[in-house]
Amino acid sequence: MFSVKPPKPTFKSYLPPVQTEKKAIEQPIKKLEPKLLPGEIVVNEVNFVKKCINTEGGQDDLWGKLICTNFKVSFIPQDASTMQKNQLCHLLLGEHDIPLTCLEQVVTVNDTKGKKKVLGSNQKLKFNPTELILYCKDLRVIRFCFVEAGPESAKKVCLAIAHYSHPADLQLLFGFEYQGRRYHEFKGEQVNGSTSKGGLQTPIFDRPSDWDREIKRTGASEWRVCSVNENYVISPSLPEYIVVPVSLADQDLKQYSIFFTDKRIPLWCWNHPNGSALVRMASIVDPLQQRKMDQRIFTAITKSHPQHSEVIRSDLDKCLPNIQDIQSAFVKIRQICVLDPFEESEERWLSTIENSRWLEYVRAFLKNAAETVYYMDVKNSSVVLQEEEDRDLSCVVSSLVQLMLDPHYRSLIGFQSLVQKEWVMAGHRFLDRCNHLKRNDNKESPLFMLFLDCVWQMMNQYPAAFEFTEAYLTVLSDSMWIPLFSTFLFSSPKQRTRHLTDFAKNKAIPPGEDPSVYFPPVWDWSQQFSHKDQTLFNNPMYVGKGAACVQNGEVKSFTRTKQKTYSSTVRGSVPSARNGLKGVEETLTRRGSFMSELRGDFSPVKDESPAERYFRDWFSQPVDQRGVLIPLLLPSHVALWKLFFLRWVPEACIAKGGAITAYHKLSQLVDEIEILKSQLRQYTGPSPGSTPLPSPRGPPSDQRRMYFKASSPDDPPTPPDFLTSSFPFTPVGNLCRRSVYGTPISKFLNGARIWLSTETLANDAI
């Protein structure tokens, strides 16, 4: 008797199989439940939702439950999690979670009726959605399909997501509920940025002692901590404690404050070892008082300088793009990198990147900061950065100047203290610029993102000068959209103090408790990542304080020769200073060519200015990565930050490629060296009748500094399979567009430079 083979099925179901009663008893249906944080509640949910992974075929799509809580949008797959073993694992968010504050747009679609609607708060939806597309501020694009889901349930979850992503008040952000619960459950824990590096902490600059330490560290002996703004009696946007010249009395500052925008009296930032100071200042509201205020403020700054050098004023509003221009450029480059398809006919992809003007604005801010470095480092002049409100452009420039001049700010703790000092406590409008409440799109502008891109450009050119990595910068940018920390939630120190004081009362937190304990800043990375994942922040090439480099078999330290004198007599006599003040426009006789030497060509230029000579000489010498750093600024030197802009784009993901492959090898080498050092330290001295032996093992795995551990002889020589150019992130789960190879983007990712023309790319082999 012949057995008949059953026919092959002609239909493949993507739904989970229906369980019979008998099978259900033997194998219960998997219950899809979300992981909720303290204080988090489920608002709405819908089953049988498909998360679209690929636009072609759909074989990689996931089925599961879509949930909206008061904190996030969460998708729970029916099958086991597909998270890569070595993917960055967030302790507060799952692989398929999106914080509500991270949502840029909530778009509902009905394919059958050809309708599409962008949902806002308290809006009605007149059609049953078949799709939901979420555009995220971290550049993800997530698409869900409701073909098999209940139409009413799908509509309700869409409306819930739109409503809860538009909170009516700051106190409705989930962080205020979560941190209250967390404080009472875990109040014994150490917070405020504790690290494994000897218990170092990031200063918050909300107390005089933090400013005192900074004055002593920079040697600013002619400056003092002033409490004239205590309880914000003068300006709500300044910190309670500021640093001012010792020659200015508190009473004088109170009188002068009424002439400045928002009563923001000048704010000290940093002191150069030669005595020159970096100061920020808002505009003077009364033009009739301009000359008088200039004379008094700048005279006081001049007196604080040991040589009483002149003061240079840099008007940032005149020489830099405004916040609307920056927002427009970011929207354009996001559209190009994330939303527009990489079609084969898109031959001018590189040109469109340049035409977005984002990289142009990055160069503009780096250029302005380099100019300031020249005046402070060479001319020994104090510089005042003036902006109308002193809360946007000046945050970027002042931070970049300090990064270029002070290696302390290139360490992890130093960089975090820089952000805390020049952004958070200086009153940058994070609430408005991030648009957390989605009230006014006109005030939204990615100033902090622009700053991080500028930092990345410097890291890209001087990879050994920074203790942290681009993965750290990317994680820091993502943290802006997680409303659980105080760093990026507020628009001024007073607003922060007021809301946290009310929060403490409402949550029965004892009076006098440190706000960084009950509502910690983002610098407490242990709340978001494990110790192992935090090691991804460590740069294996960092040549920090006391480090040396090996050249030709000899250990040498990078030291620059004694600073040359760049006399302005080369270009004629210097215009006389009025009241100890010079404007930048007076000293730059050739604005167009000032930065012409910020390039790789070190040949002398006929009739060059002192500034041009300085930059030519600077770039002609070996770079001291623990000293002054000046970035190269020709278009050929300023690149697209691929990890940030392209990490979610599947077509741009290079398997076993990208900068991570070099990081992987370097980390293994550093880990091996540290193991050998540990063994040498543990080498026991000789004892009678015995031979000393080194310890066979290095430090415990959880105490090692590198994410990738030293390789063993059995390890394959090639990078591990999980390494991609998007690591430690993965584009899996993000909406994939049509895959087309041999396009300009593929050539760009294979080494083509951003400034090359399309015609040049066409002649190159892929």
Side-chain angles (χ1 to χ4, degrees):
M1 188 173 179
F2 298 97
S3 60
V4 180
K5 291 183 179 180
K8 292 183 179 180
T10 59
F11 171 77
K12 181 179 178 180
S13 173
Y14 291 96
L15 292 175
V18 179
Q19 302 273 5
T20 61
E21 186 176 351
K22 182 179 179 182
K23 286 184 179 180
I25 296 173
E26 297 173 355
Q27 186 178 357
I29 297 176
K30 180 182 177 182
K31 198 171 183 180
L32 305 180
E33 295 293 343
K35 294 181 179 179
L36 302 178
L37 298 177
E40 187 177 7
I41 58 173
V42 174
V43 176
N44 225 309
E45 60 185 41
V46 56
N47 285 298
F48 305 113
V49 176
K50 181 173 71 171
K51 183 177 182 180
C52 303
I53 306 299
N54 198 315
T55 56
E56 297 176 352
Q59 64 272 16
D60 298 322
D61 295 344
L62 301 174
W63 289 89
K65 178 190 286 189
L66 182 64
I67 295 172
C68 175
T69 75
N70 56 340
F71 168 48
K72 64 179 182 275
V73 177
S74 184
F75 177 77
I76 309 174
Q78 177 67 39
D79 298 328
S81 174
T82 57
M83 179 176 284
Q84 299 179 29
K85 182 180 178 182
N86 289 80
Q87 181 185 335
L88 192 65
C89 182
H90 204 287
L91 300 179
L92 303 177
L93 291 166
E95 182 183 5
H96 301 280
D97 291 350
I98 310 163
L100 292 169
T101 44
C102 189
L103 295 179
E104 180 80 28
Q105 276 192 342
V106 179
V107 180
T108 51
V109 180
N110 186 298
D111 284 338
T112 57
K113 296 183 179 180
K115 293 184 177 180
K116 181 185 290 187
K117 183 173 183 178
V118 180
L119 289 180
S121 180
N122 297 320
Q123 286 189 342
K124 293 182 179 180
L125 191 57
K126 295 182 179 179
F127 58 85
N128 291 326
T130 58
E131 290 184 11
L132 171 68
I133 304 175
L134 302 178
Y135 296 92
C136 305
K137 293 183 177 182
D138 62 2
L139 307 190
R140 283 182 289 176
V141 182
I142 312 294
R143 177 169 161 248
F144 300 101
C145 290
F146 301 122
V147 179
E148 303 296 337
E152 282 301 316
S153 298
K155 181 189 288 188
K156 287 180 180 178
V157 80
C158 290
L159 291 171
I161 292 171
H163 176 73
Y164 281 89
S165 64
H166 290 73
D169 186 74
L170 180 61
Q171 292 276 359
L172 294 177
L173 291 176
F174 178 67
F176 288 91
E177 181 63 31
Y178 167 72
Q179 293 296 359
R181 299 285 188 97
R182 179 189 167 279
Y183 172 79
H184 289 290
E185 291 181 18
F186 308 106
K187 58 184 176 183
E189 288 188 353
Q190 171 109 17
V191 291
N192 182 20
S194 279
T195 70
S196 58
K197 301 180 181 181
L200 291 175
Q201 296 183 351
T202 301
I204 303 300
F205 292 97
D206 59 349
R207 60 201 68 189
S209 58
D210 290 342
W211 293 103
D212 271 324
R213 278 192 294 270
E214 192 68 3
I215 288 174
K216 291 175 182 176
R217 190 187 69 82
T218 59
S221 58
E222 295 300 313
W223 297 78
R224 65 182 179 90
V225 181
C226 171
S227 59
V228 69
N229 197 42
E230 204 164 28
N231 297 320
Y232 309 101
V233 294
I234 291 181
S235 175
S237 61
L238 284 177
E240 288 188 278
Y241 307 100
I242 60 176
V243 177
V244 298
V246 294
S247 60
L248 284 179
D250 288 4
Q251 192 59 37
D252 295 332
L253 294 169
K254 291 178 182 178
Q255 293 175 1
Y256 300 163
S257 65
I258 61 174
F259 299 113
F260 291 94
T261 301
D262 199 29
K263 298 184 178 180
R264 285 180 66 94
I265 49 183
L267 184 66
W268 174 88
C269 302
W270 183 80
N271 244 59
H272 193 285
N274 64 24
S276 58
L278 181 66
V279 182
R280 298 167 52 164
M281 189 173 80
S283 296
I284 296 171
V285 293
D286 186 357
L288 299 176
Q289 298 293 329
Q290 177 80 46
R291 188 180 181 88
K292 179 181 177 182
M293 284 297 101
D294 282 348
Q295 181 177 2
R296 294 184 178 180
I297 297 298
F298 287 95
T299 298
I301 296 174
T302 301
K303 287 181 179 179
S304 70
H305 196 293
Q307 286 82 42
H308 297 279
S309 297
E310 76 270 13
V311 178
I312 304 292
R313 187 217 310 268
S314 178
D315 192 334
L316 303 183
D317 291 318
K318 289 183 179 179
C319 55
L320 290 172
N322 60 40
I323 63 170
Q324 289 80 17
D325 292 337
I326 294 169
Q327 171 69 2
S328 175
F330 184 74
V331 170
K332 288 177 184 176
I333 198 170
R334 179 179 61 189
Q335 179 79 22
I336 295 164
C337 292
V338 180
L339 302 177
D340 290 346
F342 298 140
E343 297 293 347
E344 196 167 2
S345 60
E346 187 66 24
E347 295 178 352
R348 302 194 63 81
W349 189 83
L350 300 176
S351 297
T352 57
I353 289 287
E354 190 66 27
N355 292 338
S356 72
R357 306 193 73 181
W358 177 260
L359 296 180
E360 176 188 334
Y361 293 160
V362 168
R363 288 196 296 271
F365 277 90
L366 287 169
K367 172 182 174 180
N368 190 283
E371 291 176 355
T372 304
V373 167
Y374 167 72
Y375 287 111
M376 296 186 69
D377 191 49
V378 180
K379 305 295 288 182
N380 290 359
S381 299
S382 295
V383 177
V384 173
L385 305 175
Q386 188 161 26
E387 183 191 6
E388 183 178 357
E389 291 189 339
D390 181 37
R391 302 173 70 179
D392 290 307
L393 310 181
S394 55
C395 295
V396 183
V397 176
S398 64
S399 301
L400 291 176
V401 170
Q402 292 170 75
L403 269 179
M404 294 178 188
L405 286 170
D406 192 341
H408 167 70
Y409 294 124
R410 297 173 218 148
S411 67
L412 182 63
I413 294 297
F415 181 77
Q416 293 179 168
S417 70
L418 179 68
V419 173
Q420 189 69 31
K421 175 169 67 82
E422 296 298 326
W423 291 80
V424 180
M425 298 311 291
H428 180 65
R429 303 176 186 271
F430 279 111
L431 183 62
D432 296 330
R433 301 296 177 249
C434 296
N435 203 12
H436 287 317
L437 303 183
K438 300 178 176 65
R439 287 179 179 172
N440 193 339
D441 293 343
N442 295 329
K443 293 183 179 180
E444 185 173 358
S445 186
L447 270 301
F448 190 67
M449 182 59 234
L450 178 80
F451 165 64
L452 295 181
D453 200 332
C454 291
V455 176
W456 179 82
Q457 301 293 337
M458 294 181 62
M459 291 173 60
N460 191 42
Q461 295 183 24
Y462 304 107
F466 294 83
E467 186 181 15
F468 45 89
T469 61
E470 64 172 331
Y472 166 81
L473 292 180
T474 311
V475 165
L476 182 58
S477 72
D478 290 344
S479 298
M480 284 193 290
W481 317 119
I482 303 176
L484 304 181
F485 311 101
S486 62
T487 307
F488 303 120
L489 283 187
F490 307 104
S491 286
S492 69
K494 182 177 181 179
Q495 186 187 52
R496 173 182 179 270
T497 300
R498 176 167 55 85
H499 279 282
L500 294 189
T501 301
D502 294 343
F503 165 77
K505 291 179 181 177
N506 295 336
K507 300 300 180 182
I509 294 172
E513 181 69 276
D514 190 340
S516 61
V517 172
Y518 60 76
F519 211 125
V522 74
W523 318 126
D524 182 11
W525 293 109
S526 62
Q527 288 202 47
Q528 297 190 63
F529 302 103
S530 65
H531 173 78
K532 176 177 172 56
D533 281 350
Q534 288 180 62
T535 58
L536 279 169
F537 300 167
N538 299 331
N539 178 13
M541 293 184 287
Y542 178 56
V543 288
K545 186 176 181 181
C549 97
V550 178
Q551 289 183 339
N552 301 323
E554 291 185 48
V555 178
K556 296 182 178 180
S557 295
F558 284 119
T559 55
R560 190 174 298 281
T561 56
K562 187 177 179 181
Q563 184 66 62
K564 296 181 181 180
T565 301
Y566 297 90
S567 172
S568 55
T569 55
V570 176
R571 303 281 308 164
S573 60
V574 179
S576 59
R578 296 190 300 269
N579 303 322
L581 164 68
K582 276 194 211 169
V584 169
E585 64 278 1
E586 295 180 273
T587 58
L588 301 183
T589 56
R590 299 194 303 172
R591 291 284 297 178
S593 62
F594 177 81
M595 301 299 283
S596 62
E597 288 306 312
L598 270 69
R599 54 188 173 86
D601 179 11
F602 307 128
S603 57
V605 178
K606 184 180 180 181
D607 197 29
E608 62 185 354
S609 70
E612 289 168 339
R613 281 186 58 207
Y614 166 70
F615 288 115
R616 176 171 59 82
D617 288 350
W618 195 93
F619 286 113
S620 66
Q621 300 178 48
V623 176
D624 178 4
Q625 304 219 28
R626 291 163 294 174
V628 176
L629 290 185
I630 299 174
L632 294 156
L633 292 179
L634 283 180
S636 58
H637 300 126
V638 179
L640 181 72
W641 184 6
K642 300 174 196 175
L643 183 64
F644 177 80
F645 286 104
L646 301 176
R647 59 182 160 148
W648 308 121
V649 182
E651 300 93 324
C653 186
I654 307 172
K656 298 185 179 181
I660 190 62
T661 54
Y663 178 85
H664 169 252
K665 282 295 181 187
L666 286 167
S667 297
Q668 288 184 319
L669 288 172
V670 170
D671 189 56
E672 188 171 352
I673 290 170
E674 290 182 347
I675 289 175
L676 292 173
K677 286 181 177 179
S678 176
Q679 291 175 346
L680 287 173
R681 285 193 298 268
Q682 296 174 16
Y683 195 97
T684 56
S687 58
S690 67
T691 302
L693 295 173
S695 172
R697 301 173 63 187
S701 179
D702 61 348
Q703 293 180 16
R704 279 149 73 177
R705 199 167 56 90
M706 291 293 110
Y707 183 84
F708 297 107
K709 309 306 179 194
S711 59
S712 68
D714 299 329
D715 291 338
T718 58
D721 293 336
F722 61 79
L723 277 190
T724 70
S725 56
S726 295
F727 185 89
F729 311 94
T730 173
V732 175
N734 197 57
L735 181 61
C736 179
R737 294 163 293 189
R738 204 172 99 193
S739 298
V740 179
Y741 297 97
T743 60
I745 188 174
S746 67
K747 295 181 181 182
F748 168 69
L749 293 171
N750 279 284
R753 298 297 184 95
I754 197 75
W755 70 92
L756 291 180
S757 66
T758 308
E759 290 74 24
T760 307
L761 288 175
N763 296 327
D764 288 343
I766 298 176

